[in-house]
Amino acid sequence: TLKYNTMANSSIVCGTNPPVREQTLSAWMLDEARQLWVKIPGAVLDTGANTVTVPLDHFSVYGLFGTADTNVSNVHAFPVPFDPFGPNSGIGAGKTGADGCGIIFNNVPSMGTIKIYTISGELVKSLEIPAALPPCPAACGGACVGSMFRWDAKAADSASVASGVYIWRVESGGNSKTGKLMVIR
């Protein structure tokens, strides 16, 4: 059983750069004769205990390796609809819509892009998913953890987007997912 640690409130393995998500971990053995790492079949990942357990038949050098997470199947956006003055906006008394938290994309891959389009197909903004996801602003209560990425509901020219329905598309590796969201101003 090989143990690993994750960052607080996240599935990111500690000390990895670029960040490695625990669900991509697998156990490997060093084949010293050929000087190459060989993936060990039958490894069992336990994210609750932060361990990977593998059957072994001899002593050797073992390691845990993770890969870039390009899975987009669980990506979703919230709050939808987004109302910068609504109860989930993070905006308190005396603040303006510019202080809002924006729309959070949850379960984003560890690399890729998120593109926002108008309903007629015009590109509004293209967002690169950074290797190390930034935290949400303090005004949002630091609500972004783990695999969350925030869009401030602004277009490429930094102007706030208008009320309406928008299409989002996330792409990572050869994977993509499309969804829609609504902005109310």
Side-chain angles (χ1 to χ4, degrees):
T1 298
L2 301 168
K3 183 132 178 80
Y4 62 91
N5 293 315
T6 56
M7 296 170 41
N9 299 321
S10 130
S11 64
I12 304 296
V13 178
C14 289
T16 57
N17 186 15
V20 170
R21 297 203 179 121
E22 64 184 330
Q23 63 266 28
T24 70
L25 289 175
S26 56
W28 294 69
M29 175 187 71
L30 179 61
D31 179 339
E32 295 182 54
R34 290 184 258 168
Q35 291 297 303
L36 59 94
W37 287 95
V38 178
K39 187 174 182 179
I40 304 170
V44 177
L45 175 68
D46 182 345
T47 58
N50 288 5
T51 60
V52 176
T53 303
V54 293
L56 303 175
D57 58 3
H58 67 281
F59 290 108
S60 186
V61 177
Y62 298 94
L64 291 178
F65 297 155
T67 59
D69 180 8
T70 60
N71 181 10
V72 297
S73 63
N74 295 319
V75 175
H76 64 275
F78 70 92
V80 174
F82 170 67
D83 178 355
F85 298 101
N88 297 323
S89 67
I91 298 176
K95 294 188 177 182
T96 68
D99 300 317
C101 296
I103 295 171
I104 306 296
F105 288 89
N106 194 18
N107 299 317
V108 296
S110 58
M111 61 183 202
T113 59
I114 299 172
K115 293 182 180 180
I116 313 295
Y117 298 92
T118 63
I119 199 73
S120 62
E122 296 174 55
L123 181 64
V124 173
K125 188 149 189 183
S126 181
L127 306 161
E128 284 295 320
I129 300 170
L133 292 170
C136 284
C140 301
C144 292
V145 295
S147 58
M148 295 180 173
F149 186 63
R150 183 181 75 94
W151 173 45
D152 58 6
K154 293 186 179 181
D157 64 1
S158 299
S160 294
V161 297
S163 292
V165 176
Y166 293 86
I167 305 297
W168 57 265
R169 181 172 177 86
V170 61
E171 297 175 344
S172 181
N175 304 313
S176 64
K177 183 175 181 181
T178 303
K180 60 184 171 181
L181 56 87
M182 178 182 277
V183 174
I184 301 171
R185 295 216 184 261

